[in-house]
Amino acid sequence: MQAAIRSFVSGGNVVKASLLQHVRVINPAIQPSVFCKRSESTQSSRMEEHGFESTTISDVMNAKGKSADGSWLWCTTDDSVYDAVKSMTQHNVGALVVVKPGEQQSLAGIITERDYLRKIIVQGRSSKSTKVGDIMTEENKLITVTPETKVLRAMQLMTDNRIRHIPVIKDKGMVGMVSIGDVVRAVVTEHREELNRLNAFIQGGY
């Protein structure tokens, strides 16, 4: 999965470079007019503004709409691991945000399916008698992003650290969580839209 993501991003950059080269080779004579005419210059700036690296985590969360409210389900440090895993199963998610009891916006850590497998199943511990706080990844070890973080940066963080979920923090408060699936979908959409814009530019659509 991680190798596929790296290949996808790399491939997208190659396609973009090829298309831009195609523009230069096919019709180099149009370049002076593009930079001389105000309207065409504005359109070029618009292409740059909405380029490959423009989408942010905030855009991803907004695209989810109302479903974003349930995309970062949480539990507390005092909950049993059994209850946390049961909640993951019921909501078909692979991780829960962990907060301090009575402080829903105070991030304490994160618990994932991987934590359950490695620290409960493999070690033969009881999920019903073990608290979430005993096996979670603590807040000071978490990899996080902000709403302003670019999607490609988030993907790089998730790939480099081999994680599938990343909390979104703003002003030290928890505002959401995105998964590798959310990020990949956003990148796919961004690549598709960018290729459409470049194709329109080549065909004189700008």
Side-chain angles (χ1 to χ4, degrees):
M1 178 65 175
Q2 307 295 341
I5 292 172
R6 290 193 184 95
S7 175
F8 174 79
V9 174
S10 176
N13 290 334
V14 170
V15 171
K16 180 183 178 184
S18 297
L19 283 172
L20 290 175
Q21 180 65 24
H22 184 65
V23 172
R24 289 193 289 269
V25 172
I26 289 284
N27 196 358
I30 69 170
Q31 291 186 15
S33 63
V34 167
F35 290 103
C36 290
K37 294 181 180 180
R38 181 178 178 181
S39 62
E40 291 180 358
S41 177
T42 301
Q43 290 164 345
S44 296
S45 297
R46 190 179 302 124
M47 284 182 65
E48 180 66 23
E49 179 183 352
H50 297 287
F52 265 65
E53 300 181 3
S54 63
T55 303
T56 65
I57 292 298
S58 178
D59 295 326
V60 173
M61 296 180 69
N62 289 337
K64 287 185 173 186
K66 293 181 179 180
S67 66
D69 293 337
S71 64
W72 58 286
L73 299 168
W74 55 275
C75 61
T76 75
T77 53
D78 288 343
D79 289 336
S80 71
V81 173
Y82 175 85
D83 287 336
V85 173
K86 183 178 179 180
S87 180
M88 288 187 216
T89 303
Q90 290 175 338
H91 295 94
N92 194 31
V93 296
L96 295 179
V97 172
V98 183
V99 299
K100 298 174 183 178
E103 301 180 39
Q104 187 172 337
Q105 297 247 325
S106 180
L107 180 64
I110 187 173
I111 181 172
T112 68
E113 293 171 332
R114 184 182 300 174
D115 292 324
Y116 173 68
L117 291 173
R118 291 182 176 180
K119 301 173 183 178
I120 296 296
I121 298 300
V122 173
Q123 296 181 17
R125 300 167 69 177
S126 169
S127 62
K128 291 187 176 181
S129 61
T130 304
K131 292 184 178 180
V132 168
D134 294 334
I135 72 164
M136 69 180 185
T137 299
E138 296 180 352
E139 186 270 339
N140 60 357
K141 297 179 180 178
L142 281 182
I143 305 296
T144 63
V145 293
T146 69
E148 292 74 32
T149 301
K150 298 296 177 65
V151 165
L152 288 180
R153 173 57 179 164
M155 175 178 278
Q156 181 182 1
L157 286 171
M158 298 172 87
T159 302
D160 291 347
N161 292 281
R162 296 182 177 275
I163 56 177
R164 294 185 297 157
H165 303 83
I166 194 163
V168 185
I169 307 297
K170 182 177 182 180
D171 298 328
K172 297 183 179 181
M174 181 76 187
V175 297
M177 184 160 69
V178 295
S179 68
I180 189 65
D182 298 327
V183 171
V184 168
R185 279 191 293 272
V187 172
V188 168
T189 299
E190 193 171 354
H191 276 61
R192 184 183 298 118
E193 292 177 352
E194 180 73 0
L195 290 173
N196 288 339
R197 282 192 291 268
L198 289 169
N199 187 52
F201 180 79
I202 292 170
Q203 297 179 10
Y206 279 87

